[in-house]
Amino acid sequence: MPPRPPHHHDHPHPPEPPEPPEDGRGWSIVSNHGYALLCLSANPDLRLWQLAAMVGVRERSIHRIVDQLAEAGYVTRVKDGGRLRYQVHREMPLGRTWLSEFTVGTLLALFLTAALSISADAGRNGLADIATARLAAWGRGNGHLLYGLVCAATLVLTAAVSLDGAVILLVPVVNRLHRVCRVPLRPLFLGCVVVANASSLALPQGNPTNLVVIQGLGVDPATFTRHMAVPSLVATAVIAIAVAVLDRSALSSGYEAPAGAGRGRLPLAPVLAVVATAGANLAALALSLPPWAPICVAAALLWAWRAAQRQGAGFLRAPVRISVQVLVLVGATDLAITHLGAAATHPGAPVLLTMVGVAAVAAGLAAAVTNLPPSVALGQLPVHLPVAYAALAGLSVGALIAPRGSVATLIAFDLADDPAPIRRRFARAVAPAAALATAAAVALIWAGLA
């Protein structure tokens, strides 16, 4: 029998680390490769099946990951008696540059521009007026039913055009309902804001923070949705019910719908744009396409249609202030997130406890500087997938602990007719419910991954 050829995992002597490859190596240090590197750095004696369990991938995948780390010079296999040890070369560069952050910021700006432009166009071309009339008619004078309808409309629009687009379209509707039907503004406004933020965790395109993190960590959009949809919907239900209970006296007053409400024709172009965007988002999930692409293509097609009708002027609503804020604040949050990531990825830490702590810190950062800058920094870190999911729960649901926790909430307050009383009520009415909903979401994410 011929002797067994030496396997590529068996190295009697540590070879010289090869030169790091060019940028086209095909994988990123901020994905599962980075977490595997951290685990091996903390425990060089790990067996591959143990490493696979810690990273959360199959053993075949961890063989490929370790092979690629070795080929790139980050890890050297060392024969130690009858088993292998892994020597991590800490001096190797991680390849993390401000160019990658700039690229992520550009994608954010494009996504937000598309979402805000589609929603603003729909509002300008009559969809907000028709939505106001339909909701008033369907509510039948019942404040609680109207509140539920506003929450349901927010849920659907968040899935179609993101939470930012949803508040751009629906906050003016809430203002009109308040002016025309004399319904209390505060519960409807809060319902719109909390549902948009909490439900945005369900889909990659629901929230720009999702896009940033899954782009950085290389998470498949369909996998993200499978893990996050149920926790997001449960958190949405918890916080929406909490707002309804706290404002039950205001919702019990009832209202009178104007005569002829609900009989207008729907404007064709805005409705088609929103429906087409929602359909394209579902197709992107099924085909594993980049989740930011459908809404950008839909906005470009709608702009071309408006330009052909000579209505293209003023169509694009570029979030210049938001984009500048992201690029400036990402450096300030980078240090805090880096320390958080190092602590959160410690292999011996209790997973659920770590996830709850990460969500709490992420929510605190969102309350301080909004949720976009921390998400950009988080997307560059080699954190474990449960940690990233927990951070996203804190950056979407947990961001509701403060009025400035998310860009969508800031936009909503800018659009509200009388924001001052609502802002004063926000901390007392929404923040405790947001904390409870975030904890519920994190527990469900942990249970699903376990």
Side-chain angles (χ1 to χ4, degrees), residues 389-445:
Y389 284 166
L392 283 175
L395 294 175
S396 55
V397 187
L400 288 166
I401 64 173
R404 60 181 176 274
S406 78
V407 173
T409 306
L410 291 174
I411 293 172
F413 274 106
D414 286 342
L415 295 174
D417 278 351
D418 188 15
I422 303 174
R423 198 183 301 272
R424 289 195 294 269
R425 172 80 169 173
F426 198 91
R428 187 164 63 91
V430 177
L436 178 62
T438 304
V442 170
L444 288 170
I445 293 169

Side-chain angles (χ1 to χ4, degrees), residues 40 43-54 59 62-63 66 82-86:
L40 291 175
N43 188 353
D45 296 317
L46 282 174
R47 295 178 182 267
L48 288 182
W49 67 266
Q50 295 172 317
L51 182 61
M54 295 174 69
E59 191 169 348
I62 208 66
H63 275 277
V66 172
R83 59 183 301 177
L84 291 176
R85 300 181 71 253
Y86 298 91

Side-chain angles (χ1 to χ4, degrees), residues 38-316:
L38 282 177
C39 294
L40 291 175
S41 178
N43 188 353
D45 296 317
L46 282 174
R47 295 178 182 267
L48 288 182
W49 67 266
Q50 295 172 317
L51 182 61
M54 295 174 69
V55 176
V57 298
R58 296 181 179 179
E59 191 169 348
R60 179 186 301 177
S61 298
I62 208 66
H63 275 277
R64 175 177 52 81
I65 288 173
V66 172
D67 284 346
Q68 291 173 340
L69 289 172
E71 290 169 5
Y74 291 95
V75 169
T76 297
R77 299 181 182 90
V78 181
K79 191 77 170 180
D80 185 10
R83 59 183 301 177
L84 291 176
R85 300 181 71 253
Y86 298 91
Q87 178 183 350
V88 176
H89 298 286
R90 301 172 185 269
E91 72 278 4
M92 290 289 291
L94 295 183
R96 181 172 180 270
T97 66
W98 281 92
L99 179 61
S100 61
E101 290 170 350
F102 176 78
T103 303
V104 170
T106 303
L107 286 177
L108 275 177
L110 288 173
F111 180 84
L112 286 171
T113 297
L116 300 183
S117 299
I118 289 176
S119 297
D121 178 83
R124 286 195 306 270
N125 287 278
L127 189 57
D129 292 328
I130 295 298
T132 301
R134 295 286 174 90
L135 289 172
W138 294 341
R140 300 177 181 178
N142 186 313
H144 292 283
L145 179 57
L146 182 62
Y147 174 82
L149 289 170
V150 168
C151 290
T154 306
L155 185 69
V156 172
L157 285 172
T158 300
V161 292
S162 85
L163 79 165
D164 304 286
V167 299
I168 283 280
L169 186 55
L170 281 178
V171 171
V173 171
V174 168
N175 289 334
R176 288 180 174 89
L177 287 170
H178 171 62
R179 293 194 298 263
V180 174
C181 302
R182 302 299 179 187
V183 294
L185 176 64
R186 184 179 65 203
L188 298 185
F189 175 87
L190 290 179
C192 175
V193 169
V194 301
V195 170
N197 279 274
S199 66
S200 70
L201 186 63
L203 297 172
Q205 64 273 13
N207 195 323
T209 61
N210 301 343
L211 297 178
V212 171
V213 174
I214 69 173
Q215 176 89 6
L217 300 182
V219 181
D220 178 66
T223 301
F224 177 91
T225 302
R226 188 171 65 252
H227 288 154
M228 305 298 270
V230 171
S232 171
L233 294 177
V234 169
T236 302
V238 167
I239 196 166
I241 291 172
V243 170
V245 169
L246 290 170
D247 266 331
R248 59 188 179 277
S249 59
L251 293 173
S252 299
S253 59
Y255 67 93
E256 184 175 346
R263 296 179 184 174
R265 293 181 59 185
L266 289 173
L268 183 60
V271 172
L272 285 178
V274 173
V275 172
T277 303
N281 286 335
L282 293 176
L285 285 178
L287 300 174
S288 296
L289 298 176
W292 49 266
I295 196 168
C296 293
V297 173
L301 293 176
L302 184 58
W303 173 81
W305 171 261
R306 292 300 183 200
Q309 296 179 321
R310 298 187 178 181
Q311 298 175 0
F315 173 81
L316 294 178

